[in-house]
Amino acid sequence: MSGNERGELTGFHVVDPDLYELHRHEIVRLSNSYQENVNEFLPVGERTRPLTDAEIAERLGLDIRDVTEIRVVAEHDEYPIEEYERAARFKDAAVDSYRAGGVKNLYKGLPPPTRR
Amino acid sequence: MPPQAARSTDDGGADEDAPDLDQLTDEIKQVGLANGATVVGVASASAFNEYVPAGHRPTDFMPGARSVVVAGTPGPSNAAWQSPNRRLMEITGYDFRENVATLVMAEHIETRHGYQAMQAPPLPTSGENPPLSMMLAAVLAGLGTRAIAANIILNPQYGLLYYAATLTTMPLRPDHQLEDNVCPARSCVRMYEMEGRTPCMAVCPADEGGCIDATIENGRITSSFFNRERCATRSMNFGLKGHIKQVELLVDTDDIEERKRILYSDEFRRNLAGVGRFKESVAQCFECMRVCPVGRYRRKLK
């Protein structure tokens, strides 16, 4: 398996914006971004795994360099900068809640700390 | 001439003085443990074939690789989890000891035993996808199993550990995968049966702006979901990804004063610090692990 087949030699390859918009959601869905049932303890048949860039390229009939570049850009594009601010506030709330009541507040069935 | 991991002499007879596979394996593990690893396990290189496609197997990086020696370390100390300042764990705790241990083991294997050995690629080379999964390596080496929480590998004794690995052509005795899934813990199953959620799912629910979802039946995980991209906004809150977002803001801003406010902002400095110091870019959200019961008893100290 060469580096090219792994899609690691993209270099300064730039993807056409129309091609990006056409495939970004599908490529992200097929890749490692949203992991469903990847647990090794799940039986064969129920366990799934994301596709590699080479496999996605083959399925969608695309050049692997395009798939890699679309995936890398789309990973960044999934959430806007506002999500980063929300993330910081989420962590503030979560750690404050933990300090106030420890993990027991969850066991009592109270709302999770992010939504108090 | 370094000693070889062989059990026979040149004429094919048994060499009574040659160390056997168990002794050699234990020797390599001891080198890892003496150089920073908290746990060390061994996986057969071929064990990866069942779980990952070509391009992501040990032999893709080291043709002829036979063994993968995995080292794990806890990252933040037990006390760090109790800190009221969540930023403390964002800037401390991750000391790369597991990487040091794998490098020392590789050097030991090459110089003492004459086999090829190198550190496995631990970081992504294209976007967020790792070339070789250290999480899978840890599972195959019997060091832990995948949790509902962010698919993190939970060690039954320590809970969250960070993993690195050494690839080698040296034959070693592989450890068995754990027979029982570490997750969900008994207390989590009880909570799930009462409320439909485990502690990690309650803190970071995928259907309410978080990252995690799962179903449990008869005490076992029957389905799981992890939103890695949302998790990245939390666990890599400041660093490369945040920096790119801010550059995007900058290029969209024509106002010079606004640009200055962005450039001089605390967040901009944090992002650059995250990139430059690297520690900040490894993990900055611990909330699903903070409430995980596995290994938590270790955090109760004087």
Side-chain angles (χ1 to χ4, degrees):
Chain A
M1 175 72 46
S2 71
N4 262 328
E5 287 170 296
R6 287 197 300 273
E8 293 178 357
L9 299 180
T10 303
F12 293 98
H13 183 71
V14 176
V15 172
D16 175 78
D18 291 338
L19 190 72
Y20 174 75
E21 284 303 325
L22 186 63
H23 292 292
R24 58 176 280 200
H25 297 299
E26 179 74 348
I27 288 174
V28 162
R29 187 183 67 78
L30 294 171
S31 74
N32 215 17
S33 292
Y34 300 95
Q35 300 170 11
E36 287 189 63
N37 299 334
V38 299
N39 195 305
E40 289 80 4
F41 266 72
L42 288 171
V44 176
E46 292 177 29
R47 187 176 69 222
T48 64
R49 69 162 175 82
L51 300 185
T52 64
D53 291 346
E55 290 169 327
I56 295 172
E58 189 177 346
R59 179 180 287 200
L60 300 182
L62 296 172
D63 186 308
I64 188 172
R65 292 171 303 167
D66 285 333
V67 170
T68 299
E69 192 60 21
I70 290 170
R71 175 179 59 75
V72 171
V73 175
E75 285 171 354
H76 275 284
D77 237 353
E78 281 296 281
Y79 289 100
I81 194 168
E82 289 76 15
E83 187 67 27
Y84 288 69
E85 173 61 18
R86 276 196 291 272
R89 300 291 77 79
F90 157 76
K91 289 187 283 186
D92 287 339
V95 77
D96 283 351
S97 170
Y98 186 83
R99 286 292 300 170
V103 76
K104 288 176 183 169
N105 57 355
L106 292 170
Y107 288 111
K108 287 177 182 171
L110 297 173
T114 47
R115 287 175 290 118
R116 275 197 201 135
Chain B
M1 173 71 74
Q4 299 290 307
R7 302 178 69 181
S8 61
T9 58
D10 289 343
D11 60 4
D15 181 354
E16 296 296 327
D17 296 327
D20 66 16
L21 208 56
D22 286 349
Q23 285 178 310
L24 288 166
T25 304
D26 289 343
E27 175 194 316
I28 304 304
K29 286 183 175 181
Q30 285 304 318
V31 170
L33 292 169
N35 285 280
T38 304
V39 295
V40 179
V42 176
S44 162
S46 61
F48 284 72
N49 299 355
E50 180 188 339
Y51 298 95
V52 288
H56 296 271
R57 297 168 178 168
T59 47
D60 294 315
F61 303 94
M62 175 183 276
R66 297 180 69 172
S67 305
V68 181
V69 190
V70 185
T73 60
S77 73
N78 294 310
W81 289 90
Q82 313 291 342
S83 174
N85 184 341
R86 70 167 172 83
R87 292 226 69 222
L88 183 129
M89 283 215 295
E90 296 178 0
I91 58 170
T92 61
Y94 191 78
D95 58 11
F96 301 97
R97 268 184 300 155
E98 70 281 4
N99 289 286
V100 173
T102 55
L103 285 166
V104 175
M105 286 191 287
E107 185 179 326
H108 179 88
I109 289 169
E110 290 197 333
T111 56
R112 295 291 297 275
H113 297 285
Y115 286 93
Q116 291 180 42
M118 68 179 205
Q119 187 185 28
L123 295 173
T125 53
S126 281
E128 300 298 329
N129 282 359
L132 187 67
S133 171
M134 293 300 98
M135 298 169 91
L136 177 60
V139 170
L140 297 176
L143 295 178
T145 65
R146 217 169 274 272
I148 290 171
N151 282 329
I152 284 166
I153 307 303
L154 286 180
N155 178 275
Q157 196 176 357
Y158 295 96
L160 169 69
L161 292 178
Y162 293 83
Y163 293 103
T166 301
L167 308 181
T168 178
T169 53
M170 185 176 183
L172 295 169
R173 184 199 66 234
D175 290 295
H176 296 291
Q177 289 187 50
L178 297 180
E179 290 183 6
D180 295 316
N181 208 340
V182 179
C183 176
R186 215 173 290 171
S187 60
C188 298
V189 173
R190 282 201 300 273
M191 179 177 168
Y192 182 85
E193 288 169 348
M194 287 190 293
E195 302 173 26
R197 285 178 174 179
T198 59
C200 59
M201 290 159 65
V203 166
C204 194
D207 58 354
E208 294 176 50
C211 313
I212 303 166
D213 198 9
T215 56
I216 298 170
E217 289 175 23
N218 300 319
R220 290 177 175 273
I221 299 169
T222 49
S223 71
S224 63
F225 172 80
F226 171 52
N227 183 338
R228 187 192 65 179
E229 298 313 327
R230 190 190 297 278
C231 184
T233 69
R234 298 178 175 190
S235 60
M236 298 177 181
N237 205 188
F238 299 107
L240 190 57
K241 294 193 79 153
H243 177 62
I244 291 171
K245 289 290 180 191
Q246 286 187 311
V247 172
E248 186 182 344
L249 268 185
L250 276 173
V251 298
D252 282 344
T253 304
D254 293 327
D255 185 287
I256 292 175
E257 289 304 313
E258 178 64 16
R259 277 188 196 167
K260 195 186 286 184
R261 279 195 293 276
I262 295 170
L263 277 169
Y264 293 177
S265 69
D266 189 31
E267 282 201 5
F268 200 86
R269 291 169 64 95
R270 284 184 185 184
N271 277 317
L272 286 181
V275 174
R277 295 176 197 154
F278 195 67
K279 275 188 174 184
E280 284 192 299
S281 68
V282 175
Q284 298 160 353
C285 183
F286 295 87
E287 301 318 317
C288 62
M289 283 292 101
R290 200 187 298 279
V291 298
C292 178
V294 179
R296 197 173 55 223
Y297 71 94
R298 290 180 168 274
R299 297 180 205 153
K300 291 179 181 172
L301 300 169
K302 286 186 282 186

XYZ file of all heavy atoms in Angstrom, chain A residues 3 6-11 53 68-69 71-72 75, chain B residues 55-56 61 121-132:
208
model
N 1.815 5.432 -0.161
C 1.289 6.650 0.455
C 0.191 7.262 -0.393
O -0.793 7.795 0.123
N -3.054 5.771 0.312
C -3.617 6.201 1.587
C -4.079 7.651 1.522
O -4.634 8.175 2.466
C -2.578 6.056 2.712
C -2.313 4.648 3.131
C -1.609 4.628 4.486
N -0.346 5.328 4.452
C 0.796 4.770 4.098
N 0.817 3.526 3.735
N 1.911 5.460 4.106
N -3.803 8.304 0.408
C -4.235 9.685 0.278
C -3.408 10.633 1.110
O -3.899 11.648 1.562
N -2.138 10.302 1.325
C -1.323 11.138 2.200
C -0.355 12.032 1.444
O 0.458 12.704 2.047
C -0.550 10.256 3.182
C -1.485 9.566 4.160
C -0.750 8.656 5.111
O 0.469 8.530 4.967
O -1.404 8.068 5.964
N -0.423 12.018 0.135
C 0.510 12.831 -0.636
C -0.217 13.963 -1.346
O 0.100 14.337 -2.462
C 1.269 11.954 -1.643
C 2.114 10.853 -1.014
C 2.828 10.044 -2.087
C 3.144 11.443 -0.062
N -1.216 14.499 -0.668
C -2.037 15.529 -1.288
C -1.246 16.799 -1.568
O -1.451 17.446 -2.586
C -3.245 15.850 -0.389
O -3.952 14.636 -0.172
C -4.173 16.837 -1.053
N -0.340 17.152 -0.675
C 0.459 18.346 -0.874
C -0.406 19.576 -0.958
O -1.226 19.830 -0.084
N -9.924 6.736 2.857
C -10.046 7.633 1.707
C -10.031 6.841 0.400
O -10.767 7.166 -0.542
C -8.900 8.649 1.711
C -9.026 9.648 2.852
O -10.117 9.721 3.459
O -8.030 10.340 3.138
N -9.354 12.957 0.000
C -8.591 13.346 1.194
C -8.757 14.837 1.475
O -9.011 15.239 2.620
C -7.099 13.006 1.021
O -6.971 11.594 0.847
C -6.298 13.432 2.237
N -8.635 15.642 0.437
C -8.714 17.094 0.652
C -10.129 17.506 1.066
O -10.294 18.335 1.966
C -8.287 17.833 -0.625
C -8.053 19.313 -0.422
C -6.963 19.644 0.601
O -6.115 18.776 0.879
O -6.991 20.767 1.140
N -12.279 15.646 2.644
C -12.472 15.183 4.024
C -11.815 16.122 5.033
O -12.437 16.526 6.027
C -11.909 13.763 4.191
C -11.963 13.274 5.639
C -11.442 11.870 5.808
N -10.063 11.684 5.388
C -9.003 12.101 6.095
N -9.172 12.737 7.249
N -7.774 11.881 5.650
N -10.556 16.479 4.749
C -9.820 17.310 5.700
C -10.493 18.681 5.852
O -10.664 19.191 6.975
C -8.345 17.470 5.258
C -7.632 18.500 6.115
C -7.628 16.133 5.341
N -13.925 18.266 7.672
C -13.807 18.056 9.123
C -13.821 19.405 9.845
O -14.457 19.560 10.889
C -12.518 17.288 9.448
C -12.577 15.795 9.109
C -11.222 15.109 9.235
O -10.206 15.822 9.475
O -11.164 13.873 9.073
N -3.368 -0.416 4.613
C -3.043 1.006 4.713
C -3.023 1.468 6.157
O -2.455 2.509 6.475
N -3.659 0.689 7.039
C -3.742 1.066 8.453
C -3.294 -0.075 9.362
O -3.715 -0.168 10.509
C -5.172 1.497 8.786
C -5.590 2.733 8.041
N -5.382 4.009 8.519
C -6.173 2.885 6.822
C -5.838 4.890 7.644
N -6.317 4.245 6.606
N 3.538 -0.030 7.700
C 4.564 0.918 8.141
C 5.897 0.218 8.395
O 6.945 0.840 8.346
C 4.088 1.645 9.409
C 2.776 2.345 9.193
C 1.590 1.717 9.514
C 2.741 3.587 8.596
C 0.373 2.333 9.262
C 1.538 4.213 8.341
C 0.344 3.582 8.667
N 3.297 5.297 14.281
C 2.850 6.685 14.059
C 1.642 6.997 14.939
O 0.576 6.435 14.729
C 2.486 6.688 12.571
C 2.242 5.263 12.210
C 3.109 4.441 13.106
N 1.814 7.902 15.926
C 0.733 8.127 16.880
C -0.223 9.253 16.500
O -1.290 9.380 17.084
C 1.489 8.492 18.161
C 2.737 9.157 17.678
C 3.044 8.612 16.316
N 0.159 10.100 15.556
C -0.651 11.283 15.265
C -1.148 11.272 13.823
O -0.525 10.679 12.942
C 0.161 12.561 15.514
C 0.561 12.801 16.976
C 1.496 14.000 17.071
C -0.669 13.026 17.847
N -2.274 11.943 13.570
C -2.808 11.982 12.204
C -1.851 12.681 11.240
O -1.123 13.601 11.632
C -4.097 12.806 12.356
C -4.432 12.756 13.795
C -3.141 12.647 14.527
N -1.851 12.221 10.008
C -1.035 12.881 8.981
C -1.898 13.588 7.946
O -1.399 14.387 7.176
C -0.143 11.849 8.257
O -0.971 10.783 7.788
C 0.920 11.304 9.176
N -3.188 13.279 7.903
C -4.112 13.975 7.002
C -5.409 14.226 7.746
O -6.173 13.290 7.990
C -4.410 13.129 5.758
O -3.376 13.214 4.833
N -5.640 15.488 8.128
C -6.840 15.777 8.895
C -6.804 15.055 10.232
O -5.773 15.016 10.892
N -7.923 14.453 10.605
C -8.027 13.850 11.935
C -7.831 12.338 11.931
O -7.896 11.711 12.985
C -9.406 14.166 12.533
C -9.698 15.652 12.685
C -8.734 16.332 13.628
O -8.251 15.701 14.576
O -8.433 17.520 13.389
N -7.669 11.734 10.775
C -7.577 10.275 10.731
C -6.166 9.780 11.056
O -5.206 10.187 10.416
C -7.972 9.752 9.348
C -9.473 9.740 9.172
O -10.210 10.098 10.090
N -9.938 9.347 8.003
N -6.049 8.892 12.036
C -4.720 8.372 12.369
C -4.265 7.332 11.342
O -5.082 6.560 10.839
C -4.939 7.710 13.731
C -6.367 7.300 13.725
C -7.107 8.313 12.884
N -2.987 7.300 11.022
C -2.492 6.251 10.116
C -2.656 4.872 10.731
O -3.030 3.919 10.062
C -1.009 6.586 9.940
C -0.806 7.945 10.492
C -1.916 8.188 11.471
N -2.366 4.788 12.036
C -2.473 3.511 12.750
C -3.158 3.809 14.084
O -2.752 4.723 14.798
C -1.076 2.931 12.991
C -0.996 1.530 13.580
C -1.536 0.488 12.602
C 0.455 1.179 13.924
